[in-house]
């Protein structure tokens, strides 16, 4: 190829890339320009046809590639054209269901083939006459903790499961194939199977924990063993798989956390930082977490020994499963709405601890919970996909190394704004550690004002600039969405809470039916 031809082609391709990245021109024009330059340089293509020496079949394919390129936008990849034609007409829920079933079937099929080969090798035994090194290789390759009999049972079980999955997937593919418009390529079943797998569902991978605890840690070495031991008991008792990710902000404690990771076979995952503090630490941990549910912890919080069964954790995962739009569940304190006329989790001493400020319950599971405008750290449960969707915690609300005050309320506002919901649930078996008679890091007298004074003012200013005053349309809108969710989904609970005409909402409670509690409707409260 002539050097000048190479230069022309490179320049034209660069123009195409620039156009696709938002530069002057459009992707379509840039691709056409590049194609024309290629033809002029003697490379053939859709413009020059086969005259430049390119095979005849290349022209249609290059035209298709140009079309695919022109339909995409910078940073927004498009499905290959034949996949787009095959699956794009299917509802998203159907595509996801097909993807999940095919992914599960293929993973099980791979395991079954490997297990079958392993069983055969173990039945045959170590090859005789092999030199010692070769025998070592064989034993290393085909080692297993199972006997031949146990392997046989496992293979048979996997075969039975695989046959069922294969039949289910084949039925789905056949049904969907019949519902699609005429195909661009054949065979249709292979296209559906392949195109449905354009993006994996990572929650189906083996060994993924269901819950990821995220701990912000700084210079409290005496809590390491109690926290880890309590979570191990929690996992064993509840049957919920979990991991503990730790943002270790004091590197001098690294050895203790490394030992903990080793002693728990990887259940503990330490991440070593250098005093980045809450917002940046939790964002870092969330990006690494493998669970669908995140539980935010702080290093002065330990599970109570009397609650080793972790019934509260089962309730949290149940609520996330019950309500797909719930993005966060507060487990500490809450606000139905900001301002003086809303209940702010006052912890009425006349109400039993397990029912404090708990005004509602899920009528199906009878779990005491309620929709609220905002909740506080910590503990705090978050749906990981929702957390990543909203961009996590706003790191610009606090300086590096400073407390993330207001980042919890800001996260809740983003949840409501984007279409998720926020709940609160009582009865969490987590207590504050006072074994050394010390306040938590941000509550120590010498640093409290820096966090609860200076950083609070900084965070509050940004919060108000973003969402407006507590009695403005946006903030009141969030509060009313929470009230409407309680009205439409939940059921008032606890005669003690609702007795005496009490109402937790500034806009009144006349719409709530309290007859099942033997109470009349509370009087309306006029908002101020």
């Amino acid at each position: 190829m002539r050097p000048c031809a190479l230069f022309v082609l490179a320049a034209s391709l660069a123009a195409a890339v620039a156009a696709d990245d938002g530069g002057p021109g459009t992707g379509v024009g840039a691709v056409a320009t590049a194609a024309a330059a290629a033809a002029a340089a003697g490379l053939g293509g859709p413009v020059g046809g086969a005259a430049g020496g390119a095979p005849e079949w290349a022209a249609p394919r290059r035209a298709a590639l140009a079309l695919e390129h022109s339909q995409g936008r910078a940073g927004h990849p498009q499905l290959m054209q034949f996949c787009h034609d095959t699956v794009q007409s299917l509802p998203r829920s159907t595509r996801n269901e097909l993807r999940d079933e095919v992914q599960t079937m293929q993973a099980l099929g791979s395991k079954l083939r490997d297990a079958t080969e392993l069983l055969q090798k173990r039945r045959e035994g170590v090859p005789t006459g092999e030199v010692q090194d070769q025998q070592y290789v064989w034993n290393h390759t085909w080692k297993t903790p199972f006997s031949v009999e146990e392997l046989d049972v496992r293979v048979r079980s996997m075969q039975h499961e695989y046959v069922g999955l294969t039949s289910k997937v084949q039925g789905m593919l056949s049904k969907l194939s019949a519902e699609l418009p005429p195909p661009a390529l054949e065979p249709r079943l292979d296209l559906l199977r392949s195109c449905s797998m354009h993006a994996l569902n990572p929650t189906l991978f083996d060994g993924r924990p269901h819950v990821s605890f995220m701990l912000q840690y700084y210079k409290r070495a005496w809590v390491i063993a109690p926290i880890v031991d309590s979570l191990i008991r929690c996992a064993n008792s509840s049957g919920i798989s979990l991991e503990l990710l730790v943002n270790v902000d004091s590197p001098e404690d690294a050895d203790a956390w490394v030992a903990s990771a080793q002693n728990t076979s990887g259940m503990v995952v330490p991440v070593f930082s250098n005093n980045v503090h809450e917002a940046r630490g939790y964002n870092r941990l969330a990006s690494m977490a493998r669970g669908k549910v995140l539980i935010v912890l702080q290093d002065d919080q330990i599970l109570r020994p009397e609650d080793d069964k972790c019934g509260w954790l089962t309730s949290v995962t149940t609520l996330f499963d019950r309500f797909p739009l719930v993005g966060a569940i507060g487990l500490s304190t809450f606000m139905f709405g900001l301002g003086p006329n809303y209940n702010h989790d006052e912890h009425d001493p006349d109400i039993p601890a397990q029912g404090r400020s708990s005004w509602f319950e899920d009528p199906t599971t009878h779990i005491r919970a309620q929709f609220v405008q905002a909740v506080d750290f910590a503990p705090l449960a978050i749906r990981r996909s929702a957390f990543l969707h909203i961009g996590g915690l706003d790191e610009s609300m606090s300086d590096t190394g400073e407390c993330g005050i207001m980042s919890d309320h800001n996260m809740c506002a983003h949840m409501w704004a984007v279409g998720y919901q926020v709940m609160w649930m009582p009865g969490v078996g987590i207590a504050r550690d006072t074994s050394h008679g010390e306040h938590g890091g941000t509550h120590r007298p010498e640093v409290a004002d820096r966090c609860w004074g200076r950083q609070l003012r900084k965070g509050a200013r940004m919060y108000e600039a973003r969402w407006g005053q507590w009695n403005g349309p946006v903030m009141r809108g969030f509060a009313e969405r929470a009230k409407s969710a309680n009205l439409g989904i939940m059921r008032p609970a606890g005669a003690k809470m609702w007795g005496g005409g009490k109402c937790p909402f500034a806009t009144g409670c006349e719409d709530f039916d309290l007859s099942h509690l033997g109470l009349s409707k509370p009087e309306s409260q006029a908002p101020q």
Side-chain angles (χ1 to χ4, degrees):
M1 183 184 301
R2 299 183 303 276
C4 60
L6 279 173
F7 177 80
V8 171
L9 175 61
S12 301
L13 289 176
V17 172
D20 195 44
D21 285 341
T26 65
V28 179
V31 170
T33 301
L43 299 179
V47 176
E56 291 288 344
W57 54 265
R61 183 58 191 139
R62 290 183 181 183
L65 287 172
L67 177 62
E68 289 177 4
H69 180 89
S70 67
Q71 289 180 340
R73 294 177 297 164
H76 297 275
Q78 301 292 311
L79 287 175
M80 296 179 71
Q81 193 64 40
F82 60 83
C83 278
H84 183 279
D85 295 341
T86 302
V87 303
Q88 200 62 29
S89 61
L90 300 175
R92 180 179 294 274
S93 59
T94 302
R95 298 201 304 267
N96 290 343
E97 181 185 5
L98 177 60
R99 183 268 318 277
D100 289 353
E101 295 295 342
V102 171
Q103 182 176 331
T104 302
M105 179 192 71
Q106 291 175 346
L108 180 60
S110 177
K111 292 180 184 177
L112 175 58
R113 287 187 290 272
D114 182 70
T116 301
E117 185 179 11
L118 174 61
L119 175 60
Q120 180 181 349
K121 293 294 185 180
R122 299 305 300 186
R123 279 174 172 167
E124 294 172 354
V126 182
T128 59
E130 299 282 357
V131 298
Q132 186 174 356
D133 287 348
Q134 291 173 322
Q135 290 179 349
Y136 173 84
V137 170
W138 189 95
N139 282 316
H140 182 74
T141 301
W142 304 109
K143 67 180 179 181
T144 175
F146 303 107
S147 66
V148 170
E149 291 74 17
E150 290 171 329
L151 283 172
D152 184 66
V153 171
R154 291 170 64 87
V155 167
R156 290 177 184 274
S157 175
M158 292 169 68
Q159 287 173 335
H160 178 75
E161 184 179 359
Y162 185 71
V163 169
L165 270 174
T166 302
S167 177
K168 181 178 181 180
V169 169
Q170 195 69 14
M172 291 180 65
L173 291 172
S174 298
K175 180 181 178 181
L176 295 175
S177 180
E179 295 175 355
L180 289 172
L185 295 172
E186 294 287 354
R188 311 221 40 206
L189 296 185
D190 286 341
L191 272 182
L192 273 173
R193 183 183 293 109
S194 298
C195 292
S196 68
M197 291 299 298
H198 63 275
L200 294 170
N201 181 355
T203 64
L204 298 179
F205 296 157
D206 283 345
R208 289 250 170 171
H210 188 70
V211 174
S212 296
F213 282 83
M214 305 194 306
L215 174 66
Q216 169 62 26
Y217 172 87
Y218 185 73
K219 294 184 178 181
R220 294 174 67 87
W222 62 89
V223 303
I224 296 177
I227 288 177
V228 172
D229 291 344
S230 66
L231 289 180
I232 291 175
R233 293 193 299 270
C234 179
N236 292 338
S237 300
S238 67
I240 297 175
S241 58
L242 58 87
E243 65 180 353
L244 170 63
L245 296 103
V246 188
N247 182 55
V248 183
D249 253 348
S250 48
E252 59 266 33
D253 295 326
D255 289 346
W257 281 111
V258 169
S260 183
Q262 183 176 7
N263 294 337
T264 59
S265 300
M267 186 198 83
V268 174
V269 183
V271 179
F272 300 106
S273 304
N274 188 23
N275 195 23
V276 299
H277 222 298
E278 288 176 322
R280 293 159 182 82
Y282 288 134
N283 281 347
R284 179 174 292 176
L285 298 182
S287 69
M288 300 176 61
R290 293 166 61 83
K292 293 193 294 185
V293 175
L294 309 174
I295 306 287
V296 174
L297 289 179
Q298 294 173 337
D299 59 9
D300 58 351
Q301 296 173 326
I302 300 177
L303 296 182
R304 296 191 184 101
E306 63 269 22
D307 194 44
D308 277 350
K309 291 184 179 180
C310 281
W312 64 271
L313 185 58
T314 301
S315 296
V316 165
T317 57
T318 299
L319 289 173
F320 276 126
D321 289 340
R322 275 270 298 143
F323 304 112
L325 288 180
V326 169
I329 302 176
L331 306 171
S332 178
T333 55
F334 72 88
M335 294 183 178
F336 274 121
L338 300 181
N341 295 317
Y342 289 95
N343 177 275
H344 289 179
D345 191 22
E346 297 167 350
H347 287 176
D348 188 333
D350 295 330
I351 300 170
Q354 290 296 315
R356 284 181 179 173
S357 301
S358 178
W359 296 75
F360 295 91
E361 69 176 5
D362 172 18
T364 300
T365 65
H366 302 292
I367 296 174
R368 294 290 284 266
Q370 55 210 14
F371 293 93
V372 297
Q373 179 177 344
V375 294
D376 297 319
F377 288 149
L380 171 62
I382 311 172
R383 189 187 301 273
R384 182 175 182 267
S385 58
F387 188 78
L388 298 180
H389 186 172
I390 65 171
L393 301 177
D394 189 344
E395 298 179 12
S396 62
M397 295 189 78
S398 62
D399 297 326
T400 301
E402 305 295 341
C403 66
I405 196 85
M406 292 300 297
S407 60
D408 42 11
H409 281 208
N410 183 65
M411 181 200 72
C412 294
H414 280 283
M415 289 284 185
W416 283 112
V418 82
Y420 288 109
Q421 299 164 325
V422 179
M423 295 187 87
W424 176 84
M425 189 192 82
V428 177
I430 293 180
R432 192 166 296 279
D433 170 57
T434 57
S435 60
H436 282 56
E438 295 187 22
H439 297 286
T442 59
H443 293 274
R444 297 198 313 274
E446 65 272 21
V447 298
D449 186 58
R450 185 177 181 88
C451 174
W452 297 94
R454 178 182 175 185
Q455 289 296 318
L456 175 58
R457 290 190 295 273
K458 178 179 180 179
R461 285 192 293 266
M462 177 173 271
Y463 182 75
E464 187 174 299
R466 181 169 296 167
W467 307 112
Q469 294 281 347
W470 68 268
N471 57 354
V474 175
M475 299 292 279
R476 286 215 167 186
F478 295 158
E480 284 305 299
R481 291 191 72 180
K483 177 184 176 181
S484 297
N486 285 315
L487 179 62
I489 300 173
M490 309 301 277
R491 180 175 66 179
K496 187 79 175 179
M497 295 298 301
W498 292 90
K502 294 181 179 179
C503 174
F505 302 106
T507 52
C509 292
E510 61 272 12
D511 294 330
F512 290 95
D513 182 8
L514 307 180
S515 59
H516 64 286
L517 298 177
L519 300 172
S520 59
K521 295 181 179 180
E523 295 181 5
S524 176
Q525 292 178 316
Q528 299 178 359

